[in-house]
Amino acid sequence: MSDSPLTHFDSAGQAHMVDVGAKAESSRLARAAGSISMQAETLALIRDGSAKKGDVLGVARIAAIQAAKRTGELIPLCHPIALTRVSVEFTIDADAPVVHCEVTAECSGRTGVEMEALTAATVGLLTIYDMCKAVDRGMRIDNVRLLEKMGGKSGHWQAP
Amino acid sequence: MSDSPLTHFDSAGQAHMVDVGAKAESSRLARAAGSISMQAETLALIRDGSAKKGDVLGVARIAAIQAAKRTGELIPLCHPIALTRVSVEFTIDADAPVVHCEVTAECSGRTGVEMEALTAATVGLLTIYDMCKAVDRGMRIDNVRLLEKMGGKSGHWQAP
Amino acid sequence: MSDSPLTHFDSAGQAHMVDVGAKAESSRLARAAGSISMQAETLALIRDGSAKKGDVLGVARIAAIQAAKRTGELIPLCHPIALTRVSVEFTIDADAPVVHCEVTAECSGRTGVEMEALTAATVGLLTIYDMCKAVDRGMRIDNVRLLEKMGGKSGHWQAP
Amino acid sequence: MSDSPLTHFDSAGQAHMVDVGAKAESSRLARAAGSISMQAETLALIRDGSAKKGDVLGVARIAAIQAAKRTGELIPLCHPIALTRVSVEFTIDADAPVVHCEVTAECSGRTGVEMEALTAATVGLLTIYDMCKAVDRGMRIDNVRLLEKMGGKSGHWQAP
Amino acid sequence: MSDSPLTHFDSAGQAHMVDVGAKAESSRLARAAGSISMQAETLALIRDGSAKKGDVLGVARIAAIQAAKRTGELIPLCHPIALTRVSVEFTIDADAPVVHCEVTAECSGRTGVEMEALTAATVGLLTIYDMCKAVDRGMRIDNVRLLEKMGGKSGHWQAP
Amino acid sequence: MSDSPLTHFDSAGQAHMVDVGAKAESSRLARAAGSISMQAETLALIRDGSAKKGDVLGVARIAAIQAAKRTGELIPLCHPIALTRVSVEFTIDADAPVVHCEVTAECSGRTGVEMEALTAATVGLLTIYDMCKAVDRGMRIDNVRLLEKMGGKSGHWQAP
């Protein structure tokens, strides 16, 4: 369908939303992750907040889930997808100091959900930035990547 | 209004959209950046594409600009902001191999545009991932951070 | 999957979008209703308007239908759903004086459409408030509830 | 501009977005409220969840704040508004048993923020319904109303 | 800022959201129009419907107003704009047979509202197509154009 | 289900989202087209831009694809549809001078994708207007129409 190995372009080099109509519906899953590094004091505020006053991670989790549902609006050539599951896990590494975010997305459809998982992870991390930027403008998001992908013709893929 | 240094929570630890009504309107600017690393072959496809067939960075630039406008929908406690400028710069570092993205956002308003610049940069990089994932699933987004911020009561800030 | 009877939380108490991937697709229907009470003069304007000048209920009906389609964006843990039908019925009770709204939503999918019907009914009623607030700020929305639900594993449910 | 006391219609009875260009910008505030009644066991789950596992009200608060920002998309004839503050307060009345929701919205603009406050309250209550419907389908939303309104030519209004 | 006469590109030919921060806020108005031609029988249905059963133009008017508010999401390089007025006029020309649509949009801002008026007119006409396509697939939209533009540095412009 | 030949109204003349739950899923395709006429100098800028500096058609293509995904939000009574393909073709006719736009949309579903193709074509053309309006305010969009439709009970239809 395309001379380019980049399937989002047709043979004339023009962007299109790739035809997935002939693909079979199958169960698809993707896991993505990323991290945000910060000052130790900022991390302490996040950890304390989760306990009682100011649940940064609770808000970021909702933002991540909602962003997953809007991936098709944000990423121009993504197909709209009816997600059947999104879960978001935050882990605090006080030594780094870093908050890790891991997202699992699933659907039963004709195309994968990698972008949904990656978008959710990123927006979750951006929301942490937003909520803590008053005390720490130098936070940094790193290591946003796909961990695993299942379903579809290309089968199972795991990050090395 | 808040005992927590995290201003997005009130004194009872409940999330709110902070009152900025008393702040003066001023010119505000934010610059944010991030990178996506990939295989050398993938980077070559992006570079060639920009020349003629399959303009990955052109699509990613539009995605970034449009995402800046929707930041208030994605980040739960962000104020809606009438942006007056968004520009997106991609730089190719063939040795790394990496694509860098830098976004400048501006508004004339009561609150800063850091999140708009960061959201635009991130969605620009995610769009590159989307368009190249068929050939390189292991791409990774790193170093998403604020570079500079001007305007408002807190004045000029630059990343160290 | 959850120790809590509230299925929107996992066993650690964290919000997630519940996994419905294993559920069978089935025909699902929900009916929801609500009312808005107002001054007799306001109700008279609505009734007259429907006849000729200023069709309040016509506008509210469109708002309700469009809101049903956006339920997944508004309610954080709702799944995106491809609705196959939405209908909105307004009934005027001049004695109360009250406008009743009843919405029927249907889909063929893995999860119910209760939230779609409830969201549509509520936005329909809010639109009536908006259009009449210049003459009657004291209008009140009441009795927003699910009337009936069909399809899915839990089967038929009717409000007592 | 309109013979009808309903300002959202022109003299021909056609809906329009009213011209507010000539109005002065002023500080505007609106407070709205509503309630959701439920079984005592459901209320107990909500109360316990807020403490530790499954923060229903935390999720509903975020949904309410985000909905306030999208009022102009949901209510057809509303003007787009740059909110400067949204806060959401939930109060548990274990005897009723009921959860009350009160929202305060503010902007500095040419038109009021009543619809923003009412929309936020309603979506907050709908989100509680969504999160608890697995255990209690008979919950009911009542008493959604404007409590107070300040700013603009019509000045201060309080619910009687 | 740009060597190209097309201001949406910078000197390197890259799309950007043009900087309007230095422009003064002024009252701006735009009028746009367009038409949809159809079979005489289709037009008769629309005209009869407006009277009593099936108000095609009432629905299309709401769609047009709502689309005006979302122009910034649809047109990639448009600035987000706080519209202060949108009105939509349909005129039936039974002889052609054609429905004309004329939209007036206004704001007080730093950039014009031509795209808002044009987008509203187009979506209004598309909605007429949608509602009548079951009886007349050959309808055609023509003559979508700017009629007039006021405000801003470029001043008053009228279609010749 | 409706006495009116306009299926978007029920027998009482009230707008509804038509019930398509009983329709079978089938492969559906629609092709739509439209044109924008302009001054010869404007067309020259577009053609030159595509080569190197300022890719008007590249931006318009992305806008068209993204608009196709949002048709259900723009056209009030459209069903939400999971598109499986969108492609957008621009053709330059230097003699007219005119840019033609043709869109093909596909899905596997219960209802057709005519509105998706028409909406994409229109937003693509509006984006060209936006990007060139600084040099040519008199551009005009014409001849927006359905070319072809396949799938569903009504079968194959082609514009005469």
Side-chain angles (χ1 to χ4, degrees):
Chain A
M1 181 176 306
S2 165
D3 296 336
S4 168
L6 301 183
T7 53
H8 284 77
F9 297 105
D10 63 19
S11 57
Q14 294 171 343
H16 59 164
M17 193 199 287
V18 181
D19 188 0
V20 298
K23 292 192 183 185
E25 293 215 356
S26 70
S27 284
R28 290 160 187 277
L29 175 149
R31 284 190 311 118
S35 309
I36 184 165
S37 57
M38 59 190 71
Q39 298 173 4
E41 295 76 12
T42 312
L43 193 67
L45 284 168
I46 291 176
R47 198 173 32 189
D48 297 352
S50 294
K52 185 59 237 211
K53 43 181 2 217
D55 183 6
V56 171
L57 302 183
V59 177
R61 188 177 291 111
I62 295 302
I65 292 171
Q66 288 188 289
K69 291 188 264 185
R70 308 190 72 177
T71 302
E73 296 181 17
L74 293 171
I75 310 297
L77 304 177
C78 266
H79 295 81
I81 282 184
L83 291 163
T84 54
R85 177 191 170 209
V86 182
S87 76
V88 181
E89 190 86 21
F90 289 109
T91 321
I92 286 179
D93 177 345
D95 293 334
V98 146
V99 178
H100 297 291
C101 174
E102 185 179 320
V103 174
T104 307
E106 292 189 56
C107 83
S108 170
R110 291 184 172 80
T111 180
V113 288
E114 300 97 296
M115 293 316 300
E116 280 71 15
L118 284 162
T119 300
T122 318
V123 171
L125 295 167
L126 286 170
T127 299
I128 294 177
Y129 186 97
D130 179 49
M131 301 191 79
C132 299
K133 70 180 189 296
V135 297
D136 188 357
R137 280 207 186 86
M139 288 173 288
R140 210 183 63 226
I141 295 172
D142 284 302
N143 218 2
V144 177
R145 67 207 184 280
L146 188 65
L147 296 178
E148 185 178 12
K149 171 192 191 317
M150 296 171 68
K153 218 174 65 179
S154 67
H156 193 189
W157 179 89
Q158 265 183 303
Chain B
M1 183 174 303
S2 166
D3 296 336
S4 168
L6 301 182
T7 52
H8 283 78
F9 298 104
D10 64 19
S11 57
Q14 292 171 347
H16 60 164
M17 193 199 290
V18 180
D19 187 0
V20 297
K23 293 193 182 184
E25 293 215 354
S26 71
S27 285
R28 291 157 185 281
L29 176 150
R31 284 192 309 120
S35 309
I36 185 164
S37 56
M38 58 191 69
Q39 298 172 4
E41 295 77 11
T42 312
L43 193 66
L45 285 169
I46 291 177
R47 200 175 27 191
D48 296 352
S50 295
K52 186 59 238 211
K53 42 180 1 217
D55 184 4
V56 171
L57 301 183
V59 177
R61 187 177 291 113
I62 295 302
I65 291 172
Q66 288 188 287
K69 292 188 263 186
R70 309 191 71 178
T71 303
E73 296 179 19
L74 292 171
I75 310 297
L77 303 177
C78 266
H79 295 81
I81 282 184
L83 291 163
T84 55
R85 178 191 168 208
V86 182
S87 76
V88 181
E89 190 87 18
F90 289 108
T91 322
I92 287 181
D93 177 346
D95 294 333
V98 146
V99 178
H100 298 291
C101 175
E102 186 180 318
V103 174
T104 306
E106 292 191 56
C107 82
S108 170
R110 293 185 170 79
T111 180
V113 289
E114 300 97 298
M115 294 315 301
E116 280 70 16
L118 285 162
T119 300
T122 318
V123 171
L125 295 168
L126 286 170
T127 300
I128 295 177
Y129 186 96
D130 180 48
M131 300 190 80
C132 300
K133 68 180 192 296
V135 296
D136 188 357
R137 281 208 184 87
M139 288 173 288
R140 209 182 63 225
I141 295 173
D142 284 301
N143 218 4
V144 178
R145 67 206 184 281
L146 188 66
L147 295 179
E148 184 178 12
K149 171 194 191 315
M150 295 171 68
K153 218 174 65 182
S154 67
H156 193 188
W157 179 90
Q158 265 183 303
Chain C
M1 181 174 306
S2 166
D3 296 336
S4 168
L6 300 183
T7 52
H8 284 77
F9 297 105
D10 64 19
S11 57
Q14 293 170 344
H16 59 164
M17 192 200 288
V18 181
D19 187 1
V20 299
K23 293 193 183 185
E25 292 216 357
S26 71
S27 284
R28 290 159 186 279
L29 176 150
R31 285 192 308 120
S35 310
I36 184 164
S37 57
M38 59 191 68
Q39 298 172 5
E41 294 77 12
T42 313
L43 194 67
L45 285 169
I46 291 176
R47 198 173 30 188
D48 296 352
S50 294
K52 184 60 235 210
K53 41 183 0 219
D55 184 5
V56 172
L57 301 184
V59 177
R61 187 177 290 113
I62 295 302
I65 291 171
Q66 287 188 290
K69 291 189 263 185
R70 309 191 71 178
T71 302
E73 295 180 18
L74 293 171
I75 310 296
L77 304 176
C78 266
H79 295 80
I81 282 184
L83 291 163
T84 54
R85 177 191 169 207
V86 181
S87 75
V88 181
E89 189 87 20
F90 290 109
T91 321
I92 287 181
D93 177 346
D95 293 333
V98 145
V99 177
H100 298 291
C101 174
E102 186 179 318
V103 174
T104 306
E106 292 189 56
C107 84
S108 170
R110 292 185 170 79
T111 179
V113 288
E114 299 98 297
M115 293 316 301
E116 280 70 15
L118 285 162
T119 300
T122 318
V123 171
L125 296 167
L126 287 169
T127 299
I128 294 177
Y129 186 97
D130 180 49
M131 301 191 80
C132 299
K133 69 180 189 297
V135 297
D136 188 357
R137 282 209 184 84
M139 287 173 288
R140 212 182 60 226
I141 295 173
D142 284 301
N143 219 3
V144 177
R145 66 205 184 281
L146 188 65
L147 295 178
E148 184 177 12
K149 170 193 192 314
M150 295 172 67
K153 218 175 66 181
S154 67
H156 193 190
W157 179 90
Q158 266 183 302
Chain D
M1 182 173 304
S2 166
D3 297 335
S4 168
L6 302 183
T7 53
H8 284 77
F9 297 105
D10 64 18
S11 57
Q14 293 171 346
H16 60 163
M17 193 198 289
V18 180
D19 187 359
V20 298
K23 292 192 183 185
E25 293 215 355
S26 70
S27 285
R28 291 159 185 279
L29 176 150
R31 286 192 307 121
S35 309
I36 184 164
S37 57
M38 58 191 69
Q39 297 171 5
E41 294 76 12
T42 313
L43 193 68
L45 285 168
I46 291 177
R47 199 173 31 190
D48 296 353
S50 295
K52 186 58 237 212
K53 42 181 1 218
D55 184 5
V56 171
L57 302 183
V59 177
R61 187 177 292 112
I62 296 302
I65 291 171
Q66 289 188 289
K69 291 188 265 186
R70 310 191 71 179
T71 303
E73 294 180 19
L74 293 170
I75 310 296
L77 303 177
C78 266
H79 295 81
I81 281 184
L83 290 163
T84 55
R85 178 190 169 208
V86 181
S87 77
V88 181
E89 189 87 20
F90 289 109
T91 322
I92 288 181
D93 178 345
D95 293 333
V98 146
V99 178
H100 297 292
C101 175
E102 186 180 318
V103 174
T104 306
E106 291 190 56
C107 84
S108 170
R110 291 185 171 79
T111 180
V113 288
E114 300 97 297
M115 294 316 301
E116 281 70 15
L118 285 162
T119 300
T122 317
V123 170
L125 295 167
L126 286 170
T127 300
I128 294 177
Y129 187 97
D130 180 48
M131 301 191 79
C132 299
K133 69 181 191 294
V135 297
D136 188 357
R137 280 208 186 88
M139 288 174 287
R140 209 183 62 225
I141 295 174
D142 284 301
N143 218 3
V144 177
R145 67 207 183 279
L146 188 65
L147 295 179
E148 186 178 10
K149 170 194 192 315
M150 295 171 67
K153 218 174 65 181
S154 67
H156 193 191
W157 179 89
Q158 264 184 302
Chain E
M1 182 175 304
S2 166
D3 296 336
S4 168
L6 300 183
T7 53
H8 284 77
F9 297 104
D10 64 18
S11 57
Q14 293 170 346
H16 60 163
M17 193 199 288
V18 181
D19 187 1
V20 297
K23 293 194 183 184
E25 292 215 354
S26 70
S27 285
R28 290 158 186 280
L29 176 150
R31 286 192 307 120
S35 309
I36 185 164
S37 57
M38 60 190 69
Q39 298 172 4
E41 295 76 12
T42 312
L43 193 68
L45 284 168
I46 290 177
R47 198 174 32 191
D48 297 351
S50 294
K52 185 58 236 213
K53 40 181 1 217
D55 184 6
V56 171
L57 301 183
V59 177
R61 187 178 291 113
I62 295 303
I65 292 172
Q66 289 189 288
K69 292 189 262 186
R70 310 191 71 178
T71 303
E73 296 180 19
L74 293 170
I75 310 297
L77 303 177
C78 266
H79 296 82
I81 282 185
L83 290 163
T84 54
R85 177 190 169 208
V86 182
S87 76
V88 181
E89 190 87 19
F90 289 109
T91 321
I92 287 181
D93 177 346
D95 294 332
V98 146
V99 177
H100 297 292
C101 174
E102 185 179 319
V103 174
T104 306
E106 291 190 56
C107 84
S108 169
R110 291 184 171 79
T111 180
V113 289
E114 298 97 298
M115 294 316 300
E116 280 70 14
L118 285 162
T119 301
T122 318
V123 171
L125 296 168
L126 286 169
T127 300
I128 294 176
Y129 186 96
D130 179 48
M131 301 191 80
C132 300
K133 69 181 189 295
V135 298
D136 188 357
R137 280 207 186 88
M139 288 174 287
R140 207 183 65 225
I141 295 174
D142 283 301
N143 218 2
V144 177
R145 67 207 183 279
L146 188 65
L147 295 178
E148 184 178 12
K149 171 193 190 315
M150 295 171 69
K153 219 175 63 182
S154 66
H156 193 190
W157 180 89
Q158 265 183 302
Chain F
M1 182 175 305
S2 166
D3 296 336
S4 167
L6 301 182
T7 53
H8 284 77
F9 297 104
D10 64 17
S11 56
Q14 294 171 344
H16 60 164
M17 193 199 287
V18 180
D19 187 1
V20 299
K23 293 192 182 184
E25 293 216 354
S26 70
S27 285
R28 290 159 186 279
L29 176 150
R31 285 192 310 118
S35 310
I36 184 165
S37 57
M38 59 191 70
Q39 299 172 4
E41 295 77 11
T42 312
L43 193 68
L45 285 168
I46 291 176
R47 198 173 31 189
D48 296 352
S50 295
K52 184 60 237 210
K53 41 181 2 216
D55 184 4
V56 171
L57 302 183
V59 177
R61 188 177 290 112
I62 295 302
I65 292 172
Q66 287 189 289
K69 291 189 262 185
R70 309 191 72 177
T71 303
E73 296 181 17
L74 293 171
I75 310 298
L77 304 177
C78 266
H79 296 81
I81 282 183
L83 291 162
T84 55
R85 177 191 170 208
V86 182
S87 76
V88 181
E89 190 87 20
F90 290 109
T91 320
I92 287 181
D93 177 346
D95 293 331
V98 146
V99 177
H100 297 292
C101 175
E102 185 179 319
V103 174
T104 307
E106 291 189 57
C107 84
S108 170
R110 292 184 171 80
T111 179
V113 289
E114 299 98 296
M115 293 316 300
E116 281 70 16
L118 284 162
T119 300
T122 318
V123 171
L125 295 168
L126 286 170
T127 299
I128 294 177
Y129 186 97
D130 179 49
M131 301 191 80
C132 299
K133 70 181 189 295
V135 298
D136 188 358
R137 279 208 185 87
M139 288 172 288
R140 210 182 63 225
I141 296 173
D142 284 301
N143 218 3
V144 177
R145 66 207 184 280
L146 188 66
L147 296 179
E148 185 178 12
K149 170 194 192 313
M150 295 171 68
K153 219 174 63 181
S154 65
H156 193 190
W157 179 89
Q158 264 183 304

